[in-house]
Amino acid sequence: MTILQDTIYPRLKMVVAPHDLERVYTPTSEELDLVHRTTTDAVAALGFLIHLKTFQRLGYFVGLHTVPDGSVQHIAQSVEHRDLIPQLPAYDRSGTRRRHQAQIRAFRTVKPFRAGGLQVVQQAIAAAAMHTEQLADLINRAIEELLRQYYELPGFTTLYHEAQRQRAKTYASLYLQVMTALTPDLQVVLDALFVVDPLTQRSPWDRLKDSAGRPTRANLNSFADRLVWFAPYQRTERLVATFPDAKRRHFATEAIAYDIDAMRDLKPARRYTLACALLASQYAQTLDDVAGMFIRRMRSIQHAAKTALETYQQQHQARTDQLITALRDLVVGYQQPGSVEARFAGMHAVLKDRSDALLQDCEAHLTYSGNNFASFVWRVYRSHRSTVFRLLHLLPFGSASSDTSVQQAIAFLLAHQRSKGAWLSVVPQVQQRAVPGTAGPRLNLAWIPVGWWRLVTDLATRDQVPQRVNRRHFEACVVSQILLALHRGDLSILGAERFGDPLPRLCSPEEYAARSPAYGEQLGIPLDPDAFVAAQQAWLTMLAERADNAFPTNELVTFVDGRLVLRRQRRTPDPAGLVALKRHVDERRQPRPILDALAATNYWLNWTSCFGPLSGFDTKIDHPVARYLAAVFCYGCQIGPTATARALGTLDRKQLSWVDQHHIRALRQSP
């Protein structure tokens, strides 16, 4: 069962600090006037005050016997009626208490839960159950909505059972959605998942849950075969396509935990839903792995091309020096005194018969200027060409915008995969025969980067419309652009998770219009674009002015040569006597067993709440916390059950008196 401490359900502290007692439980003058107007009996007045202060703290009424003694003593002391505390149980059993509670609700303008609170809880949990699985989160959402609408909180059990009920209804509605859209032919395909092959003794369900291995070049064939195997099941993805991401992930995780026998025992609606979710999840994971293989392959190609460029530049440094020398001699010849003819003669003496050679060297140097490694990509890419083309055939690309020029280039590249010519025409053949040279380009080549333009089109500028492209450099340019587009999000992979289109996962315009007002109210930000920009500018201006005003006295920030420099903050010296205190603590520290520490940390942090079934449902084993602690102890110490039993017997009940004792007893008896 979901533990009360996992939620924000308010509860009283058994030990309250004196300053909190003064701040929270001291009656105000307005509250004392309310008490005097309500009752003249001293015992009833004290009970009224205790109920009022605890209700302000909790949002619901509790029995006076459950209020910590420290809080009761403080409230009674504030009205000088500590002698009346023993008479409070009689007041708590009387009908006066119920009348006082109604007056407290009216004073706090809080509506009783029975006046529509259940409907509020149901609506809040039903809306949240589509996006979250944990009961604690659903309960927290219900509590937030009740407090927002000024409702009295019900008992925790009421919220817990209602969260269970609404979550079950959400699951049932999703199961029904799948069954309604499931056609007979798709049902046959899904039923075939659970048929065991008599020869291999394995079913397609087992293969679906198998890992395809590491996404490496050596495993490319296995990934290709896996994507081909998914082809008959891709129609099932649309059955869960409208599910929220959280629900799809939950169903897929739950399906992984079930073997074929467990799946057969499930009801058909639930079985088909889990199967569709797992098929979509595994297919998306496979696409992500293949995309990761492509990205790593292209990164290695680009890295090798950059290395080749650096080597080339080092090898041709002498040529660069010659070009600089020739330029210097030309400038010297131009600056010599005399007529224009004399200057021209001086420049001619430098060039002589070297003009063609110098021009070729300049063209070669400009090709690699600006660290442009594009011309070296093909040299590295051609050894990976077959692998890259196979990845391109496997990946279904999609565009994140209306610009599909890169997709068209990919299709053009795949269509000319077996071409051998040095140049590929980008002009439609029909238009070429009709009016040569007047046809527009088949492809939109505006996406080609500057460093690739001359290599791909053999044109110096973009003013001319290219009629052909260099096949080799065009291939290298396209695959390089795919890598960049995937990183920028301009290109997506249909059906993938990490590299898929993120837009469908965002909230719809209708959902945004419905939820944005409450969101803006909670954060205190305006929704109007102009007002939002003005508010952010005012906030940033205020921060800048605060930083400027504090700068003269800030010893950790300074300007050195026009640059902002942050200094390391000086370490605060240790107070006097700290070393002696540490020594005395170490001398008095007693050894504590590891299992003792595990039980203690779980009491404070409740880290075993992260354990449990993959399905997200509550565990059905007896004493789950004890078994989780025993499992962690065995795993950490790498010991067997016998040694664990001996270690369990070393627990000191006195040391663990503040830990839940039934957990410790079950832990000692845990097999």
Side-chain angles (χ1 to χ4, degrees):
M1 178 177 177
T2 299
I3 303 175
L4 177 64
Q5 287 77 9
D6 295 341
T7 67
I8 61 174
Y9 192 82
R11 51 196 180 277
L12 295 173
K13 294 182 179 179
M14 292 298 102
V15 178
V16 185
H19 64 276
D20 288 334
L21 285 173
E22 186 68 26
R23 178 176 59 87
V24 177
Y25 292 103
T26 300
T28 63
S29 58
E30 182 183 6
E31 293 168 350
L32 293 176
D33 292 341
L34 175 65
V35 172
H36 295 325
R37 294 196 308 268
T38 302
T39 180
T40 57
D41 183 73
V43 177
L46 179 59
F48 185 94
L49 273 178
I50 296 175
H51 275 305
L52 175 61
K53 302 307 292 185
T54 55
F55 184 80
Q56 290 175 343
R57 185 68 174 171
L58 300 177
Y60 61 93
F61 293 103
V62 295
L64 296 183
H65 64 281
T66 63
V67 181
D69 293 339
S71 302
V72 175
Q73 294 285 346
H74 178 80
I75 297 174
Q77 179 66 30
S78 62
V79 294
E80 299 180 353
H81 283 317
R82 295 184 61 179
D83 56 319
L84 301 180
I85 294 178
Q87 304 180 37
L88 288 177
Y91 164 80
D92 212 17
R93 295 189 299 268
S94 65
T96 304
R97 175 180 62 89
R98 290 187 290 273
R99 293 193 297 271
H100 286 175
Q101 289 178 356
Q103 293 172 332
I104 291 173
R105 292 191 193 98
F107 176 72
R108 298 294 302 173
T109 64
V110 174
K111 294 171 283 190
F113 181 75
R114 61 178 179 272
L118 181 60
Q119 290 75 14
V120 173
V121 170
Q122 291 174 347
Q123 294 174 2
I125 295 179
M130 290 298 295
H131 304 280
T132 185
E133 303 297 330
Q134 299 298 328
L135 291 177
D137 296 335
L138 299 178
I139 293 173
N140 292 341
R141 183 67 187 91
I143 294 174
E144 292 174 355
E145 190 62 23
L146 287 173
L147 295 179
R148 190 182 70 84
Q149 298 191 27
Y150 294 96
Y151 271 99
E152 178 186 0
L153 296 182
F156 180 78
T157 305
T158 300
L159 296 175
Y160 176 79
H161 290 309
E162 195 59 40
Q164 279 187 320
R165 192 177 300 110
Q166 292 298 325
R167 187 176 69 173
K169 287 183 178 180
T170 301
Y171 289 154
S173 65
L174 296 177
Y175 299 155
L176 179 61
Q177 178 178 336
V178 171
M179 287 298 297
T180 303
L182 188 63
T183 59
D185 58 331
L186 288 180
Q187 184 174 347
V188 172
V189 172
L190 293 177
D191 288 336
L193 287 172
F194 311 105
V195 178
V196 178
D197 189 343
L199 296 178
T200 62
Q201 293 300 311
R202 302 195 74 221
S203 64
W205 181 254
D206 299 325
R207 181 176 180 180
L208 174 62
K209 296 195 296 181
D210 287 343
S211 175
R214 297 181 59 188
T216 60
R217 184 178 181 182
N219 289 333
L220 177 59
N221 291 330
S222 64
F223 276 90
D225 296 339
R226 188 170 178 84
L227 287 176
V228 173
W229 182 81
F230 271 112
Y233 303 103
Q234 291 185 12
R235 293 183 299 164
T236 62
E237 295 181 14
R238 60 179 179 83
L239 301 180
V240 294
T242 58
F243 287 11
D245 288 343
K247 281 293 179 286
R248 284 203 304 269
R249 287 193 296 266
H250 169 75
F251 289 147
T253 304
E254 183 180 354
I256 292 178
Y258 293 152
D259 57 15
I260 187 172
D261 293 330
M263 291 294 293
R264 286 171 175 171
D265 294 338
L266 298 178
K267 294 182 178 180
R270 183 180 178 188
R271 180 171 65 249
Y272 293 141
T273 303
L274 298 185
C276 292
L278 184 58
L279 283 167
S281 176
Q282 295 293 78
Y283 178 67
Q285 181 62 47
T286 306
L287 287 176
D288 286 333
D289 290 339
V290 175
M293 295 170 62
F294 174 82
I295 290 176
R296 283 192 295 272
R297 185 63 50 197
M298 289 308 305
R299 282 177 176 171
S300 65
I301 291 174
Q302 291 186 351
H303 177 72
K306 292 178 182 178
T307 304
L309 173 63
E310 295 174 358
T311 304
Y312 177 86
Q313 290 174 340
Q314 293 174 1
Q315 293 175 350
H316 293 77
Q317 183 64 38
R319 185 188 67 184
T320 304
D321 296 339
Q322 293 176 2
L323 291 175
I324 296 299
T325 302
L327 177 62
R328 174 188 173 278
D329 294 341
L330 285 173
V331 174
V332 171
Y334 175 79
Q335 291 181 345
Q336 66 182 355
S339 62
V340 176
E341 290 77 7
R343 294 182 180 181
F344 184 80
M347 297 172 62
H348 178 71
V350 174
L351 294 177
K352 293 184 179 180
D353 298 332
R354 299 169 53 196
S355 59
D356 293 338
L358 288 176
L359 182 60
Q360 292 179 1
D361 290 343
C362 289
E363 291 289 345
H365 180 77
L366 290 175
T367 302
Y368 309 112
S369 63
N371 292 327
N372 184 15
F373 59 89
S375 60
F376 292 94
V377 173
W378 168 257
R379 304 181 186 181
V380 187
Y381 163 77
R382 60 183 177 182
S383 62
H384 303 267
R385 187 172 184 268
S386 60
T387 302
V388 171
F389 264 101
R390 186 165 191 185
L391 293 174
L392 293 180
H393 280 291
L394 293 175
L395 295 174
F397 291 103
S399 178
S401 63
S402 58
D403 184 7
T404 60
S405 56
V406 177
Q407 287 180 268
Q408 295 174 4
I410 296 173
F412 181 83
L413 182 64
L414 295 177
H416 294 81
Q417 177 180 353
R418 301 187 181 277
S419 298
K420 301 299 183 181
W423 296 91
L424 298 176
S425 173
V426 295
V427 178
Q429 297 297 325
V430 175
Q431 294 182 0
Q432 278 186 350
R433 290 194 299 267
V435 185
T438 61
R442 175 185 300 174
L443 296 178
N444 179 11
L445 301 179
W447 56 269
I448 298 180
V450 176
W452 286 92
W453 181 257
R454 175 174 293 190
L455 292 172
V456 173
T457 63
D458 196 30
L459 298 176
T461 64
R462 293 178 179 264
D463 297 335
Q464 297 174 286
V465 178
Q467 304 294 317
R468 62 177 186 171
V469 292
N470 185 287
R471 179 179 61 84
R472 293 180 175 181
H473 291 306
F474 180 74
E475 285 188 19
C477 179
V478 170
V479 295
S480 299
Q481 188 67 17
I482 292 174
L483 173 63
L484 182 62
L486 286 176
H487 277 293
R488 293 186 308 192
D490 296 336
L491 202 64
S492 61
I493 299 176
L494 303 178
E497 181 73 21
R498 187 156 53 100
F499 297 99
D501 188 2
L503 295 181
R505 304 173 192 169
L506 303 179
C507 65
S508 62
E510 295 78 11
E511 185 180 4
Y512 171 79
R515 300 177 61 180
S516 58
Y519 181 82
E521 180 182 355
Q522 292 177 0
L523 295 184
I525 60 176
L527 298 181
D528 181 71
D530 296 334
F532 175 79
V533 171
Q536 294 300 307
Q537 290 176 343
W539 177 63
L540 293 175
T541 302
M542 181 267 296
L543 293 180
E545 292 176 351
R546 183 187 302 174
D548 292 342
N549 296 333
F551 182 80
T553 59
N554 194 335
E555 299 179 354
L556 303 180
V557 182
T558 185
F559 279 97
V560 178
D561 296 333
R563 298 179 60 186
L564 188 67
V565 178
L566 301 180
R567 297 178 180 176
R568 186 184 299 272
Q569 189 173 7
R570 298 185 182 92
R571 183 170 177 262
T572 304
D574 295 336
L578 179 61
V579 177
L581 176 61
K582 290 182 177 180
R583 185 177 65 254
H584 289 308
V585 170
D586 293 337
E587 292 174 354
R588 290 167 172 77
R589 183 181 299 164
Q590 298 295 328
R592 186 176 294 274
I594 295 178
L595 200 54
D596 185 348
L598 290 176
T601 56
N602 182 67
Y603 176 80
W604 294 109
L605 303 178
N606 191 30
W607 49 265
T608 55
S609 61
C610 301
F611 290 53
L614 291 176
S615 62
F617 295 112
D618 295 332
T619 180
K620 297 181 180 180
I621 62 176
D622 296 331
H623 308 297
V625 176
R627 295 180 181 273
Y628 296 153
L629 293 177
V632 171
F633 182 79
C634 294
Y635 179 80
C637 299
Q638 297 183 358
I639 60 178
T642 303
T644 304
R646 289 197 300 267
L648 293 174
T650 62
L651 285 175
D652 189 353
R653 290 178 63 88
K654 294 181 180 179
Q655 294 178 347
L656 300 177
S657 58
W658 45 273
V659 182
D660 193 352
Q661 292 298 327
H662 82 275
H663 287 164
I664 303 304
R665 288 195 299 270
L667 190 57
R668 289 199 178 94
Q669 301 172 1
S670 177

